[in-house]
Amino acid sequence: MSLVVAKFGGTSVADYQAMNRCADIVLGNPATRLVVVSASSGVTNLLVELSQADMGDERRLKLLKEIATIQYAILDKLGRPADVAAALDALLSRMATLSARLLQAPSHAMVDEILSLGEQCSSALFAAVLRERGAKASAFDVRQVMRTDSHFGKAEPQIAELKRLATEKLQPLLEQQLLVTQGFIGADADGRTTTLGRGGSDYSAALLAEALEADAVEIWTDVEGIYTTDPRLAPNARPIAEISFNEAAEMATFGAKVLHPATILPAVRQQIQVFVGSSRAPEKGGTWIRHQVEDEPVFRAVAVRRDQTLLNLHSLQMLHAQGFLAETFAVLARHKISVDLITTSEVNVSLTLDKTGSDSAGKGLLTEALLQELSQNCRVRVEDKLALVAIIGNKIATTAGICRRVFEVLEPHNVRMICQGASPHNLCVLVSEAEAGDVVAALHRNLFEGAQDAA
Ligand code: ASP
Ligand code: MG
């Protein structure tokens, strides 16, 4: 029997009406048997605020009320069926208790417990919407199967354990009914609640699809798939019907943050096709991400990643020496930092830090402790307010004439760093945040709107 996992993002489950549009999608495809939801739009942000330990009681109560208002608005439209009303009341009262306790004794574990409540509320409500529409559906607590390590705020899923637990506890239930489960959250081996980092629900859906050997995972959001670039930056941006895993992986954070970058990993491992579309306008189609695609153009998309930090490391010790990079990377790894781009000269190394999926509480990556440790080996300079512009495509490193078309656009801009050659699928430039929009628009015009590209 074929199995599709459908994931709905925060705006897709924002209110009763939005949830009903999602129900249309789920019930329209009999293969869709597992639904993964984000918290209703805005709720995770409110929970992040609620888990700030230095907040006054007045603010805390106001936040609790705001969250309750969003969730009860959905419940009230459902006509308050007793089972889900009791479940929602229990979740909201747990939110109140935990947030009060957090003021006394804050802990990372408790923060994750609080953050997880958004998805717990939305999954209970969405299962009730599906039942109201006549489906046999229940909410399923994903913590029974989504086993992670204990790195609260950005926990690592444990793939083998997840597969074992999903086969044992989830698979048999799926044969009997539709299940609605939570994205973003998991539990460690001791049963403590963890979260996968902001935006982690897409990743959850792909992980569950992998564990269940599903045929496809659908990511329903508020944009109609992946575009050649962010349409807000270039109004002539076009939707992409089909894109390969390799290109998609290189896009890291896609243009308009369509998909959490880690989503692609489980899909590639298990060769599961991924669909991205809008739950508001499913008839408009979307983008399929597949192992093999028909068309492999040189230029596929221009993506931008803002809020980039560049670390410049300078040391004469690097001159004809070995091991400097190994040591630097060991320090970064100890601080759980993933490096994005890197360029080197004889006595300098420049690198940008991968900020995607920074932890659930949104804390910065560059801590004093890290800078101090790095400074023991070299002089460290930090530059921020930068943006990374990536040109994504195929055979970029082996097609003549690409640099000319890119660099003529960049002429008026200061390019802080260029990375090309490592991947056949991308060419990246680092520019100031302020210029990024213009650079993207100009690149799109030159690479996608020129006479030879007009499809
Ligand atoms: N609700 C979580 C967040 O807002 C996870 C997600 O939506 O993917 O980050
Ligand atoms: Mg999201």
Side-chain angles (χ1 to χ4, degrees), residues 333-391:
R334 268 204 298 285
H335 289 262
K336 291 238 173 230
I337 287 195
S338 127
V339 171
D340 206 1
L341 299 188
I342 168 160
T343 60
T344 63
S345 77
E346 194 55 53
V347 291
N348 288 281
V349 179
S350 288
L351 34 94
T352 63
L353 308 181
D354 182 355
K355 281 206 178 167
T356 37
S358 55
D359 78 4
S360 299
K363 280 197 280 302
L365 291 168
L366 273 185
T367 58
E368 253 331 292
L370 166 68
L371 291 175
Q372 252 184 16
E373 211 173 317
L374 285 173
S375 304
Q376 286 166 5
N377 281 332
C378 57
R379 205 173 66 218
V380 182
R381 217 179 57 229
V382 180
E383 283 176 50
D384 48 19
K385 301 201 178 61
L386 294 166
L388 188 67
V389 177
I391 296 148

